[in-house]
Amino acid sequence: MTTTAITHISALVTNDPSLGDSSPLGLIQDAAVVIEDDRIVWTGESSKAPATDNAVDAGGRAVIPGFVDSHSHLVFAGDRTQEFNARMSGRAYSAGGIRTTVAATRAATDEELSANVARYLAEALRQGTTTFETKSGYGLTVEDEARALRIAARHTDEVTFLGAHIVSPDYADDPAGYVDLVTGPMLDACAPYARWIDVFCEKGAFDGDQARAVLTAGRAKGLHPRVHANQLGHGPGVQLAVELDAASADHCTHLTDADVDALARSETVATLLPGAEFSTRAAWPDARRLLDAGATVALSTDCNPGSSFTSSVPFCIALAVRDMGMTPDEALWSATAGGAAALRRDDIGRIAPGALADLVVLDAPSHVHLAYRPGVPLVHEVWRRGERVVAPRSS
């Protein structure tokens, strides 16, 4: 196997305290990384790097793990620019929201949907995202949900069945019938293509009993739960997520003390999605409260056409630092190791021997620049599974 050393790294974020300065980021100054095939095999001081077949000089730049975007909705068609413009302009807007995207997605061809997914994933990769999860949820029929997941599975292993996004317009007068469809024929058709099952547990979508039925049916088919929880108001989503050992409770904007305590005592990750609050002018999640309680926090984009149309994890890091009480170190950890925890993965989100060689070289001397210089394209190059997939801009 060919080995490659990346040397002269100003500051290496390993997310392994045993490898660096004993902080959660495991920082190593003037560092090097050695890659063999698709894995990290060595990290340490640049002067102590072993001989390798190839060498890449980082030129005093910082290196961080590839971002792990653990919540996105990329299988869609259509555009909701007018809805966003009206919201930002303070005007009433009566279009159908998610239902608008459902109609456009149903009308799109497989090729159009797959091209859209590829486009947004390439956009995310250029900004340092090396692992992503994505969901169905814009089909809401057996056929359209299954094809959404088939398309998603061409692009990622982290695929989530979200037939319970909203009650399908076709079942507007029979929500119980739609839950039966989701937990029966739709689940049967979709389970072979997914790893996860999700539900939007919220007033106006699915209540606690309906969400429990969806998630327990999914577990019986071998899918692990995730929950859209407590985004729009207080509700049962977080408690249900913890009870069912969901990998993550996502949004977590409106939490009681009991919700925070439950998350802190569980393996369920609180995934925060600041792009949604930015795009809807809603209240920010209180990351500080969760972190101080001992909960594991992830940061993700929630990339979708309606409420968070961004694929940029660096943008979400800047928002989390500015408006959610996170330090730059905490935000970076949450966007890498935190996202890995939300996917129950230990082979990503860190730069340590045995992990996949997914890393980002920043055109900056420190990861702090991700929040310090918001909106600036700081990603110099990206490596995924040992291959450089985004080359330096100068080349």
Side-chain angles (χ1 to χ4, degrees):
M1 296 183 182
T2 301
T3 55
T4 300
I6 304 176
T7 62
H8 300 114
I9 299 167
S10 61
L12 173 66
V13 174
T14 68
N15 284 341
D16 186 335
S18 71
L19 296 177
D21 62 357
S22 299
S23 73
L25 293 189
L27 279 169
I28 304 174
Q29 305 295 329
D30 190 16
V33 174
V34 176
I35 299 167
E36 183 176 85
D37 194 22
D38 64 347
R39 299 278 169 169
I40 303 293
V41 295
W42 185 90
T43 63
E45 296 177 12
S46 194
S47 62
K48 298 177 182 177
T52 56
D53 300 307
N54 303 302
V56 176
D57 191 332
R61 297 177 176 87
V63 171
I64 62 174
F67 297 125
V68 180
D69 192 343
S70 60
H71 184 126
S72 73
H73 304 249
L74 298 184
V75 187
F76 70 88
D79 179 87
R80 284 157 68 182
T81 302
Q82 291 181 337
E83 176 185 328
F84 175 81
N85 191 34
R87 187 164 62 235
M88 293 299 106
S89 303
R91 300 195 305 269
Y93 189 73
S94 59
I98 290 174
R99 292 168 180 80
T100 301
T101 302
V102 168
T105 303
R106 289 178 177 180
T109 67
D110 288 11
E111 292 74 21
E112 289 169 336
L113 293 176
S114 187
N116 255 1
V117 175
R119 171 189 171 191
Y120 295 121
L121 293 181
E123 183 179 278
L125 183 64
R126 291 193 298 271
Q127 298 174 90
T129 298
T130 52
T131 302
F132 60 91
E133 176 270 2
T134 202
K135 309 174 192 294
S136 64
Y138 292 125
L140 308 186
T141 67
V142 172
E143 178 182 354
D144 285 305
E145 285 294 294
R147 76 162 178 152
L149 294 172
R150 285 197 305 270
I151 290 166
R154 298 174 193 168
H155 300 276
T156 180
D157 295 331
E158 301 294 349
V159 177
T160 300
F161 168 44
L162 182 60
H165 196 183
I166 59 169
V167 173
S168 169
D170 309 322
Y171 285 77
D173 298 323
D174 186 16
Y178 185 64
V179 172
D180 289 341
L181 180 72
V182 170
T183 58
M186 190 181 288
L187 176 59
D188 290 341
C190 291
Y193 305 104
R195 181 184 178 201
W196 307 98
I197 186 165
D198 200 345
V199 60
F200 189 19
C201 184
E202 199 78 53
K203 185 177 180 180
F206 298 89
D207 65 25
D209 291 339
Q210 292 168 327
R212 184 190 306 278
V214 169
L215 297 175
T216 54
R219 285 206 309 188
K221 285 287 187 178
L223 305 183
H224 202 87
R226 323 181 69 77
V227 183
H228 280 62
N230 301 55
Q231 177 187 6
L232 305 179
H234 296 289
V238 164
Q239 295 290 338
L240 182 63
V242 171
E243 175 192 333
L244 297 180
D245 186 36
S248 65
D250 297 33
H251 287 289
C252 294
T253 308
H254 299 276
L255 302 179
T256 64
D257 288 345
D259 293 332
V260 174
D261 290 343
L263 287 165
R265 289 184 281 103
S266 75
E267 298 298 317
T268 298
V269 174
T271 299
L272 308 183
L273 308 166
E277 280 72 37
F278 176 87
S279 296
T280 61
R281 288 181 174 157
W284 298 102
D286 190 347
R288 183 79 271 135
R289 181 183 179 199
L290 286 161
L291 291 165
D292 287 348
T296 301
V297 173
L299 281 179
S300 185
T301 64
D302 192 18
C303 186
N304 75 81
S307 62
S308 184
F309 203 6
T310 179
S311 59
S312 175
V313 174
F315 173 65
C316 293
I317 287 174
L319 291 179
V321 172
R322 170 61 178 80
D323 291 304
M324 289 163 48
M326 300 185 88
T327 68
D329 286 12
E330 291 166 338
L332 177 62
W333 190 96
S334 294
T336 52
L343 296 175
R344 299 213 163 157
R345 300 270 300 270
D346 61 9
D347 60 338
I348 55 176
R350 61 193 183 97
I351 301 177
L356 287 170
D358 294 351
L359 53 87
V360 177
V361 181
L362 297 177
D363 199 5
S366 167
H367 66 278
V368 177
H369 281 232
L370 291 165
Y372 180 43
R373 304 195 69 209
V376 177
L378 293 178
V379 173
H380 183 68
E381 57 187 271
V382 181
W383 295 68
R384 185 167 59 190
R385 301 199 171 204
E387 296 186 10
R388 184 159 52 187
V389 290
V390 175
R393 291 184 294 273
S394 60
S395 64

